[in-house]
Amino acid sequence: YPASCWKWHYEHGLVIKAISEVGAASGENRFHGIDQEWIDHFVNEKGEICTYRVSEFNLDQVNPGKLLFPLYHRTGDGRYAAALKLLRSQLRDQPRTPSGGFWHKQIYPHQMWLDGLYMAGPFYAEFAVTFNEPAIFDDLIHQFMLIEQHARDPQTGLLYHAWDEARAQQWANPGTGCSPHFWGRAIGWYVMALVDVLDFLPSEQPHFAKLIDILNHLAHAMTRFQDPASGLWYQIVNFPNRPGNYRESSVSAMLAYGFAKAVRKGWLAPEYLSAAQRAYHGLLENMIRVDARGALTLEGTCSVAGLGGNPYRDGAYEYYIKEPVATNDFKGVGSFILAALEMDRALESNI
């Protein structure tokens, strides 16, 4: 992963955060400073972020900003504070749906995607604590409750990938505004967002318990669709036997991480640690390959999936299953590392 390949991009932010957490957990010098080296590649002396544009109003571009918080706390360097406040300014002006939900991007009007809760939510929560802006919490809780209210399917309890409040998109159900399918990784992003935001949300905050309830209901719904043979989840969660569907690595790693962390924090019952462990072992047995040099490869990650755009993505089943499947994709690798760290913590604490 040479510097020439670095990008201010959500999946790069995810994998660098995961590596830095390995360093914090292990104390190994080889991981020390990777977060600062990466951030300093982009952030100049004025706190400006190379390649980042507020005017794009792209929630994906907020996620790497989480790496700034530990650097600011360690060094007190004003340029890190300036960069954090620059990203905060995007969320202050982010276009919103009539109900107050963040548009996923400027180019996706009136649409909330589950992905966006992870891309902006944990950053937003940590900013509230770091810069003493508690009013953020009400807005942040509203984002989670709003998308859950509209994207949740009453029959399965699963969440659709996205919701178009304007009901203007070809992919949007004319009645509900929801996209057609339950995409595994979108739900994985949402679960990770919940458990990472809850780290910062004061327990006395109104609706704190509501987020715990949302997490529990979604965990219950997802475990019903966990593959009993492998412990993994499918690309389209509720159609395991439909032709073309496949067991997908990133959702399995994300849920392993989210469930295990939530059990450790007391937000989910201990039984969900078993679901997390089954998923993690399923990844080890089915998706990890070791080459002749001893290097690991993670297989089975959907490279990308979205809605709308040009060429237009209609959210049909055939669309999701035909997107390329990648090896060592950062969305899978970063989530897998975070899941592995939670597995270690579970062993250490004898949960």
Side-chain angles (χ1 to χ4, degrees):
Y1 184 46
S4 59
C5 295
W6 294 356
K7 294 181 181 179
W8 186 270
H9 189 271
Y10 72 91
E11 61 184 68
H12 292 249
L14 169 64
V15 82
I16 292 296
K17 179 173 174 56
I19 292 169
S20 65
E21 291 201 11
V22 171
S26 69
E28 292 189 43
N29 288 334
R30 59 181 170 144
F31 302 116
H32 179 71
I34 180 62
D35 55 346
Q36 187 162 8
E37 183 181 359
W38 193 87
I39 283 291
D40 287 350
H41 181 78
F42 296 99
V43 177
N44 67 19
E45 292 302 316
K46 296 179 181 179
E48 298 165 334
I49 303 170
C50 180
T51 73
Y52 168 74
R53 301 289 181 270
V54 172
S55 59
E56 293 178 357
F57 292 109
N58 180 348
L59 293 184
D60 289 348
Q61 297 295 71
V62 175
N63 185 56
K66 292 183 298 189
L67 294 163
L68 289 157
F69 289 109
L71 299 182
Y72 174 60
H73 293 312
R74 289 203 306 260
T75 68
D77 193 326
R79 66 195 176 103
Y80 298 139
L84 286 163
K85 291 175 182 178
L86 177 64
L87 292 163
R88 168 68 178 103
S89 74
Q90 176 188 325
L91 298 181
R92 189 174 290 111
D93 297 331
Q94 187 79 10
R96 294 175 182 251
T97 72
S99 297
F102 288 142
W103 291 12
H104 189 62
K105 300 180 185 180
Q106 176 80 36
I107 61 173
Y108 298 137
H110 307 292
Q111 301 165 45
M112 293 186 74
W113 296 14
L114 294 179
D115 323 23
L117 276 297
Y118 181 80
M119 301 307 159
F123 172 91
Y124 206 20
E126 192 165 359
F127 190 97
V129 172
T130 301
F131 293 98
N132 191 28
E133 199 176 334
I136 283 175
F137 290 128
D138 289 336
D139 187 28
L140 183 54
I141 290 170
H142 178 68
Q143 303 298 318
F144 278 96
M145 293 175 61
L146 182 64
I147 188 66
E148 194 269 346
Q149 174 189 349
H150 290 282
R152 178 171 48 83
D153 173 56
Q155 277 70 48
T156 63
L158 300 175
L159 301 181
Y160 290 103
H161 183 180
W163 170 59
D164 172 15
E165 186 164 351
R167 294 161 175 77
Q169 293 298 309
Q170 297 173 31
W171 54 255
N173 181 294
T176 66
C178 291
S179 56
H181 290 290
F182 308 117
W183 179 40
R185 185 158 71 232
I187 298 173
W189 287 129
Y190 187 83
V191 169
M192 290 211 302
L194 279 168
V195 300
D196 288 355
V197 162
L198 286 166
D199 279 337
F200 302 100
L201 191 64
S203 59
E204 65 272 15
Q205 184 76 21
H207 301 300
F208 177 91
K210 176 61 177 175
L211 293 193
I212 301 293
D213 286 344
I214 289 172
L215 175 61
N216 276 267
H217 291 150
L218 187 53
H220 174 73
M222 286 299 286
T223 52
R224 291 177 53 230
F225 292 98
Q226 187 173 18
D227 180 32
S230 67
L232 304 177
W233 279 272
Y234 278 77
Q235 167 77 340
I236 299 297
V237 173
N238 60 326
F239 291 139
N241 299 316
R242 191 163 172 177
N245 205 2
Y246 59 92
R247 298 173 299 184
E248 203 275 336
S249 292
S250 65
V251 58
S252 303
M254 289 173 175
L255 294 183
Y257 164 73
F259 289 179
K261 178 177 178 178
V263 171
R264 176 169 60 85
K265 293 279 191 169
W267 303 323
L268 285 178
E271 66 203 60
Y272 289 101
L273 178 59
S274 297
Q277 290 169 331
R278 289 197 301 275
Y280 182 68
H281 289 297
L283 289 166
L284 292 178
E285 293 170 2
N286 297 281
M287 299 299 184
I288 293 290
R289 299 290 176 263
V290 184
D291 68 16
R293 298 176 294 110
L296 303 183
T297 293
L298 177 68
E299 300 178 340
T301 300
C302 172
S303 63
V304 66
L307 295 159
N310 185 20
Y312 197 85
R313 299 164 295 182
D314 62 2
Y317 176 82
E318 291 73 18
Y319 161 71
Y320 284 105
I321 63 167
K322 289 181 179 177
E323 283 288 19
V325 177
T327 58
N328 288 337
D329 184 283
F330 282 178
K331 297 176 288 295
V333 170
S335 304
F336 177 79
I337 293 170
L338 293 175
L341 289 169
E342 284 299 333
M343 294 299 108
D344 281 351
R345 292 179 185 122
L347 288 173
E348 291 168 1
S349 58
N350 294 314
I351 295 177

